[in-house]
Amino acid sequence: MRVHTFLFEEGLWAAGGEYVDEAMRRAAFEGETRVTHRPGEWLNEGRMRIALDGGPVIIENRYRIVPFAAGADFTSWESHNPALGTLRGHFIVVGNAILSACASLDRRYNGMEFLLQETPDRYLNRGALFSPEGRISSWLVILEKKG
C-alpha cells in the first residue's frame, strides 16, 4: 500500500503549473506550500504567483486541517479567503489519491480538487472553483517536495 507524504508529513513543496480563469485565459504560475503539524491541527500554507498580462497576482492560502484520526481515511479542513470568505471542506484518501471538496459558508462558492501521488516526492494536483454563475478558476499543478 502506498503511503501519502503530502499533508501527512511536514515539509516544503514547490508548486508550478497552469491557472485558468473564468474567461478561459491561461497563465503560468509558481509558488510553494508548507505543511506543518501542531497538536490538534495541521497547517497547509501556500503562496502562488500567477503571471497575468496586467502583472503578477499573488494568491495565499492557509488551510487548518483536523488531523486524520487513527484508521480514518477522511478528515475536515477550513480556510479563509479574503475574496470568497470561509471555505470548509473534506479530504479523503482513495488509494494513491487525496480528494477534496469544499463550499463557502454562505454556499455561494464550491470547489473540488485531487492530488495524485506519482512518487513520494511528487504529486499532480487538479482542481476547480465555481460560483452560481459558473467557473471561477481551474488549475493544473505539479507539487515537488523541497525539504
Side-chain angles (χ1 to χ4, degrees):
M1 180 174 156
R2 184 174 276 182
V3 177
H4 283 281
T5 51
F6 187 71
L7 298 180
F8 290 86
E9 295 179 6
E10 292 186 317
L12 181 63
W13 295 76
E18 184 178 63
Y19 173 88
V20 184
D21 71 9
E22 68 279 357
M24 296 293 294
R25 292 179 295 221
R26 299 175 181 279
F29 78 89
E30 63 179 13
E32 61 185 29
T33 189
R34 179 177 298 278
V35 176
T36 55
H37 293 175
R38 295 181 180 170
E41 171 181 80
W42 295 352
L43 298 175
N44 179 13
E45 300 172 286
R47 180 179 170 93
M48 307 295 165
R49 292 168 296 286
I50 303 170
L52 294 174
D53 291 340
V57 173
I58 305 295
I59 296 177
E60 294 182 343
N61 290 306
R62 184 174 195 255
Y63 290 80
R64 295 177 57 224
I65 303 162
V66 175
F68 283 73
D73 63 356
F74 71 95
T75 193
S76 60
W77 60 266
E78 181 174 293
S79 178
H80 182 75
N81 182 296
L84 307 175
T86 299
L87 300 173
R88 287 193 179 148
H90 291 89
F91 288 118
I92 184 164
V93 174
V94 181
N96 66 339
I98 301 172
L99 309 178
S100 183
C102 70
S104 60
L105 291 184
D106 63 6
R107 300 285 181 208
R108 179 162 171 74
Y109 305 104
N110 61 76
M112 68 197 90
E113 70 179 323
F114 75 88
L115 294 129
L116 183 66
Q117 186 182 46
E118 289 192 318
T119 71
D121 295 335
R122 182 181 166 99
Y123 281 79
L124 301 179
N125 174 245
R126 306 293 188 259
L129 183 65
F130 295 92
S131 73
E133 292 77 35
R135 170 221 294 268
I136 294 174
S137 63
S138 61
W139 54 92
L140 302 93
V141 177
I142 294 173
L143 290 169
E144 294 184 304
K145 193 166 189 180
K146 293 172 68 172

